[in-house]
Amino acid sequence: MFLKRQVPLAIVFIVGVIMLLSWFIPHEPFANLEIHATQWFDIIASFAMILGALNLLKLQGRKVIRRQKGWFYSLAAVLGFFLTLTFGFFFKGGYYLEVKDVGPNAPYFNQRVSEITHTEVDAVERAFTKIGEGKPINRNFYTHGGVLKLYNELSSKGAVVEIKQLPWGSHLQERGTFYSWIFYSIFTPLTSTMFALLAFFVASASYRAFKIRNLEATILLAAGIIIMIGRVPLGAYLTGWLPSWLQWLHLPRLQEWIYQYPNAAGARAIMIGIGLGIVGTSLRVILGIEKSFMGEK
Amino acid sequence: MSSKFNTFLQNLDRLDRRIIFLIIGLVVLFPLLVPLNLPVEPTGLTRDAFEAIHNLPDDATVLISFEYGPSTKPEIHPMAVSVLRHFFARGYKVVVMCLWPDGLFMAREALDEVLNDERFHDLVYGVDYVNLGYRPGNEAVIKGITKSFAANFTVDSKQTDISLIPLMNDIRTVADVDFIFSLSAGYPGAIEWVLYASDPLQIPVSSGNASIQVNQLLPYVKSGQMKGVIAGMPGAAEYEALMVEYGLWNTRGEAAKSMDAQSIAHLVIVLFIILGNIAYYAKRKTQKKY
């Protein structure tokens, strides 16, 4: 009980008080505490990620094994997890050619590189005028076989090229790697579709929910319409003809006024409330009153 | 009012949502196929952000952080491209970093798109700009770089040791940059930059955001803690218009083109709201009668 209860509470209290004090004491050892704290955070977060992954596998795996309702979605989650893990850590792809010398047949080289990199021939020519110790061709291949074909083709025309592979880590953002294939071919279309559906649901929900039932609803509706029309070029177009003494009715101006005054006031009130809430909760955690982080009520 | 018309109005209240979906789909598609070229009028919020960037000293170093993914790409990516163009056109040194894992891809795409222009062909990686990539840790990373970049970013996105990157030799902490720009679609994002870097170290910050986020940021803009804000796709279109106005670019960008579709979609949504209210009143009138 002592290890499970008193020790965590003591750690939270000591660390909380030290971190709080370090904000006000710009001298050693307090001055550099933030660097250490952020690195501790990174280390702990890494373990949390492992725990999170194991938890995901446990929950989704159980659903699949027991064939619970919607088990195929869980199967997709588990497969997606392993696919991403495999392409992130084991099979990266990302083969490319490094050019040491363009060789005697430069026009052929420029033309061919222009085709595979989708750049102008002039740009390729400029890029490979000064090669130095070696310059990569800006096109990655998923497999060694793919890059080998180009290697053989360019070598046969006299170019001096070398097959290389992207280092671990940098393969995460480069095209022509399996990880980026997941990102561009699966993740991007899925998340974009989900977000794009919002336009349809917003239209449908506005039609059904935005009703003039009372004064508050009417004010909300009027503000909503002014913002919606005033934020887009159509608003400026529709009220652009107004004479100067009626410029305050120009829709973009009206919407900016709503944005900057009533809306900012509301947002500020919410933020102050949240800020006070954070201070209160933090003090409760540091003083051991709030114990939900230990699984207690 | 004839009873037939009254029945029609009442039936409108039960309009099948698939019809609404179809109409929205068509009105969004039409301006994308046939551009209307509606004029874009920059608002004060966007102008403030633009001028804060434009008026930095010629040798300024700026930090741009990517905190968005593919879902909000249509809104935020055009402003990422415009802001990067603005930085490079003004000759600033640019440090790119990401607090979101997807931000790494967005940063790469935006840099590729901007640097593809022949005006920026002379820029050298590591000297004029650097992409430090993604680090996990959310606001802890921001707090970390207020003390040391090297402790948080040992290598850049190409796995080059940070000590071998000439641009990073002069940048030990975030206090060494002259301006921070956050391209943000949520948490961690612009607010965290204000709270943990800009305000404590007094570094000017601005931000480009998804429209839905702007409400939360306005208090920071009004208090002067944030130098303007680029609000969603309309803000991106306004920024593009300002780039043209200042002679830094010469064509309408992606955001301006998309604003035609958004204009018509908003108009149709407003028409739906009006129609919905007419149907609601017709129904209420009949219910009162009986």
Side-chain angles (χ1 to χ4, degrees), chain A residues 172 174 207-208 212 228 231, chain B residues 12 15 105 108 231 266:
Chain A
L172 293 177
E174 299 279 355
Y207 181 68
R208 290 178 211 292
I212 307 175
M228 264 198 283
R231 274 305 285 155
Chain B
L12 266 183
L15 186 68
F105 292 90
R108 178 65 200 261
H266 280 201

Side-chain angles (χ1 to χ4, degrees), chain A:
Chain A
M1 197 62 186
F2 175 73
L3 282 175
K4 269 191 164 180
R5 205 158 188 276
Q6 268 75 22
V7 171
L9 284 176
I11 292 172
V12 168
F13 178 76
I14 293 165
V15 173
V17 170
I18 289 174
M19 290 310 294
L20 207 60
L21 288 176
S22 74
W23 189 257
F24 301 100
I25 310 172
H27 303 289
E28 294 302 334
F30 295 99
N32 278 326
L33 264 181
E34 279 175 53
I35 297 181
H36 302 308
T38 50
Q39 284 171 356
W40 289 344
F41 177 87
D42 284 351
I43 295 164
I44 295 167
S46 307
F47 283 105
M49 257 191 251
I50 296 169
L51 281 176
L54 291 175
N55 197 35
L56 174 122
L57 287 178
K58 187 181 155 191
L59 289 174
Q60 305 298 330
R62 191 187 288 160
K63 270 191 173 179
V64 177
I65 292 165
R66 293 181 184 169
R67 295 286 166 99
Q68 286 173 348
K69 195 181 171 192
W71 63 271
F72 33 86
Y73 299 121
S74 299
L75 183 67
V78 173
L79 288 178
F81 175 82
F82 280 113
L83 195 70
T84 312
L85 200 70
T86 309
F87 290 160
F89 286 110
F90 304 107
F91 299 106
K92 58 180 172 185
Y95 294 94
Y96 66 96
L97 285 184
E98 192 171 90
V99 182
K100 303 284 183 191
D101 186 7
V102 171
N105 206 342
Y108 177 85
F109 175 89
N110 294 335
Q111 181 61 41
R112 191 70 188 95
V113 173
S114 147
E115 280 167 22
I116 59 163
T117 56
H118 307 290
T119 30
E120 299 288 327
V121 180
D122 294 350
V124 176
E125 198 178 341
R126 269 200 309 275
F128 287 93
T129 307
K130 282 183 191 171
I131 289 177
E133 288 177 9
K135 192 164 236 172
I137 293 176
N138 192 19
R139 165 77 191 269
N140 298 319
F141 292 82
Y142 292 105
T143 59
H144 189 266
V147 79
L148 193 62
K149 270 186 191 170
L150 186 68
Y151 172 84
N152 290 335
E153 187 186 332
L154 294 178
S155 297
S156 69
K157 298 289 178 186
V160 181
V161 285
E162 199 178 308
I163 295 176
K164 295 223 166 175
Q165 195 176 14
L166 292 168
W168 287 106
S170 71
H171 76 292
L172 293 177
Q173 53 156 352
E174 299 279 355
R175 284 194 185 259
T177 65
F178 292 113
Y179 190 85
S180 69
W181 176 81
I182 291 182
F183 184 82
Y184 286 113
S185 305
I186 301 176
F187 185 74
T188 299
L190 284 175
T191 52
S192 305
T193 307
M194 288 300 290
F195 207 72
L197 286 174
L198 271 179
F200 298 97
F201 292 127
V202 164
S204 175
S206 305
Y207 181 68
R208 290 178 211 292
F210 260 147
K211 298 284 159 66
I212 307 175
R213 289 193 172 90
N214 49 40
L215 181 67
E216 290 89 340
T218 312
I219 293 171
L220 188 72
L221 181 71
I225 289 177
I226 292 169
I227 294 278
M228 264 198 283
I229 298 293
R231 274 305 285 155
V232 291
L234 191 71
Y237 185 73
L238 288 176
T239 51
W241 54 271
L242 286 168
S244 56
W245 61 278
L246 275 178
Q247 273 302 305
W248 60 277
L249 280 176
H250 189 42
L251 278 172
R253 277 195 186 187
L254 269 180
Q255 73 83 24
E256 201 165 358
W257 183 84
I258 293 172
Y259 240 178
Q260 294 211 28
Y261 296 96
N263 172 63
R268 201 173 278 148
I270 293 168
M271 282 167 67
I272 292 171
I274 293 172
L276 291 173
I278 291 172
V279 171
T281 311
S282 303
L283 283 174
R284 282 172 64 86
V285 171
I286 291 171
L287 297 174
I289 303 166
E290 174 71 49
K291 301 188 192 84
S292 56
F293 69 95
M294 295 195 303
E296 287 184 28
K297 280 184 184 173

